Amino acid sequence: MNAIVVMLLGLAGLALGYLFYSKFIAEKIFRLDPEFRTPAHEFEDGTDFVPTNRYVLWGHHFTSVAGAAPIVGPAIAVIWGWLPAFLWVILGTVFFAGIHDAGAIWASVRNRARSVGSLTGDVVGKRARSIFMIVIFLLLLMVNAVFAVVIAGLMMDFPSSVVPVWGAIAVALVIGQLIYRRKASLMLVSVIGVVALYALIGIGPSIPLQMPDVVMGVPGNALWILILFGYAAAASLLPVWMLLQPRDYINGLQLFIGLIILYAAVLFSNPTILAPMFNTNLPAGTPSMIPLLFVTIACGAISGFHGLVSSGTSSKQLDKETDVRFVGYFGAVGEGMLALAAILTATAGFASFGDWQAMYSAFGQGGVNAFVEGGAYIISNGIGLPETTAATLLTVMAALFAGTTMDTGLRLQRYIFQEWGEIYHQEWLKKPAIATLLAVGSCLILAFGAGGADGSGGMIIWPLFGTTNQLLAGLTLLVVTVMLVRLGRPMWYTLAPLIFVVVMTLWALLSQLRSFYEQGNYFLLVLDIVVLIASILVALECASALKRLRGEASKPS
């Protein structure tokens, strides 16, 4: 199959979804009001609540939700064939992720920018809130612990990425000062930031900084993990305009430039997709495509983590309610474009079908390596960029997005502790510094307590990320659906995705339950049972809340 045809069909589908479906949702379902006073203005504090230009906020939202997951998930899922992954990414982005992300921002903005977990208590019930908060905490624990491992691994394997990865932080600090202190033109600042970032990427291969395998008895990757958490803790306490916003904005621009380079390389190199449309010769041990496809590709189709970002940081920075469409829905479209690129690189970025089979000789292989190696191959053949430089470019893309997700994730975990303090009337827990220490401490306990000296503990529970993440997506859609019913608006646009996601999550959890039992992995077996029970409770709460509200609506006034 010609990769250009697949690329053009995918981009056309995403564009049509944003131009028409998102417009319908914004105007007819959410009925976004340009005069509504958003929490960013109502509670403006210069730290967390900051009215923000929609392009800058889109950059924050997009890069926070993107991370490494829309690369890893699709680049693993193509083992079942490129067509199922392609269809789920495009249809999932248009009909699931877009309305999920925009809906979470809208729901939060209409409720004083509270997180979707916190406002569940008002919208659905206290039992649902308790389940939601636990699931959120577990998911953030996974994301923060695992992304630290991913970034550390990339910097250990690709030392040419170290200078641009850390240099991007300095660039972001300068950009923040130029935008908010100097009131510089956004266009000028954007050009300066992008030029500086790509200059660092160009310098990276000339100044590779290799962390020793062991430093004073500490493994090199573990030292990177400790450094990353130290940085993330400091970043989570800084005002959003100082580092988080400008870092995410510049990263968003460089991703789009990177995607343009990658898509242009596909046009010029005209590669053939070597992976089968449906793979009937699966390696031994590969699980069934249904339902696992729908939890393997989460980010890039629909992801519960997006609801945390939407209601955790993005809603606190929204200048106008009408910006929900651009920030939330178009943010999901941007991630869909990244997932599409991952599919193309993981299926067409090989010299032969044998090379592709070697990469996908077992389930779970591919991921970031397939994206970097396949993308570098296509870029080198398409536009003549040396493969080493192309690999550095793609590695930095993956590391920077994992880093921005980790930045936001730790701040969100801090918010969870603070919201617990508010719910249970514990003033000490509401203090930002204490909440941050607890957030970092819990991640490090998982990383080093479960993983040992190399700090890879998060990887132990990572197999449950997909199902836990999709459970969270179902919970978020539940909150949005209940709000729509209360307002007397059509609910099927959120209820249909909700039902699909919950059914597939329950199915996947049952499939994993059997797999963990057969493997004798009783730790994951117990955790799977916990998440399964939570999923069932969510389904019951969903049915109960909607039945109650429909009954109230049918009573004569």
Side-chain angles (χ1 to χ4, degrees), residues 21 24-25 29 95-96 99 477 480-482 484-485 489-500 546 550:
Y21 190 64
F24 167 76
I25 294 297
I29 307 302
F95 296 107
F96 288 70
I99 194 168
L477 287 169
V480 177
T481 301
V482 172
L484 291 173
V485 172
R489 298 177 189 173
M491 66 175 182
W492 283 105
Y493 300 95
T494 53
L495 183 60
L498 161 62
I499 293 171
F500 182 86
L546 291 175
R550 293 296 294 269

Side-chain angles (χ1 to χ4, degrees), residues 128-166:
R129 181 184 67 190
S130 298
I131 298 169
F132 212 159
M133 296 293 275
I134 292 171
V135 172
I136 288 171
F137 180 78
L138 180 61
L139 185 71
L140 288 172
L141 200 60
M142 289 185 198
V143 168
N144 292 331
V146 169
F147 276 29
V149 175
V150 170
I151 300 167
L154 286 171
M155 289 191 292
M156 289 292 291
D157 294 340
F158 300 94
S160 61
S161 69
V162 175
V163 168
V165 165
W166 290 101

Side-chain angles (χ1 to χ4, degrees), residues 112-407:
R112 302 172 66 245
R114 292 162 62 194
S115 77
V116 71
S118 176
L119 64 89
T120 302
D122 295 338
V123 175
V124 182
K126 291 183 178 179
R127 285 179 301 181
R129 181 184 67 190
S130 298
I131 298 169
F132 212 159
M133 296 293 275
I134 292 171
V135 172
I136 288 171
F137 180 78
L138 180 61
L139 185 71
L140 288 172
L141 200 60
M142 289 185 198
V143 168
N144 292 331
V146 169
F147 276 29
V149 175
V150 170
I151 300 167
L154 286 171
M155 289 191 292
M156 289 292 291
D157 294 340
F158 300 94
S160 61
S161 69
V162 175
V163 168
V165 165
W166 290 101
I169 297 172
V171 172
L173 289 168
V174 173
I175 294 300
Q177 294 295 321
L178 289 174
I179 293 175
Y180 287 97
R181 295 297 191 197
R182 301 294 182 182
K183 306 298 181 183
S185 162
L186 184 61
M187 179 62 73
L188 176 63
V189 168
S190 301
V191 172
I192 292 173
V194 168
V195 169
L197 196 57
Y198 275 92
L200 288 169
I201 292 173
I203 292 171
S206 303
I207 314 176
L209 297 180
Q210 179 69 65
M211 177 74 77
D213 291 336
V214 179
V215 180
M216 298 178 63
V218 180
N221 65 305
L223 188 58
W224 273 131
I225 291 171
L226 290 171
I227 292 171
L228 285 164
F229 273 114
Y231 155 74
S236 75
L237 292 170
L238 290 175
V240 290
W241 64 265
M242 188 175 290
L243 178 59
L244 190 67
Q245 276 185 5
R247 175 168 156 80
D248 291 352
Y249 175 63
I250 292 300
N251 284 345
L253 291 178
Q254 75 93 11
L255 172 62
F256 255 79
I257 293 173
L259 286 176
I260 290 171
I261 292 172
L262 189 53
Y263 286 138
V266 170
L267 286 173
F268 289 123
S269 63
N270 191 23
T272 298
I273 291 181
L274 299 172
M277 184 179 293
F278 292 96
N279 191 2
T280 57
N281 187 28
L282 293 168
T286 302
S288 172
M289 179 179 71
I290 298 175
L292 267 295
L293 171 69
F294 303 104
V295 297
T296 301
I297 301 179
C299 295
I302 181 172
S303 166
F305 180 74
H306 293 202
L308 302 185
V309 176
S310 297
S311 64
T313 55
S314 299
S315 64
K316 293 178 175 62
Q317 302 168 59
L318 199 75
D319 184 31
K320 296 179 181 179
E321 191 178 62
T322 47
D323 291 345
V324 163
R325 180 190 175 204
F326 183 78
V327 174
Y329 198 102
F330 191 59
V333 168
E335 190 177 63
M337 292 174 64
L338 178 57
L340 175 61
I343 291 172
L344 293 172
T345 57
T347 57
F350 299 89
S352 68
F353 178 62
D355 291 337
W356 184 85
Q357 284 185 310
M359 175 65 76
Y360 288 91
S361 59
F363 180 72
Q365 293 187 354
V368 173
N369 286 340
F371 174 75
V372 172
E373 293 176 18
Y377 178 84
I378 291 173
I379 291 172
S380 177
N381 287 338
I383 59 178
L385 201 65
E387 271 196 65
T388 303
T389 304
T392 300
L393 169 67
L394 296 174
T395 302
V396 171
M397 279 175 60
L400 286 180
F401 290 112
T404 53
T405 300
M406 186 178 170
D407 280 7

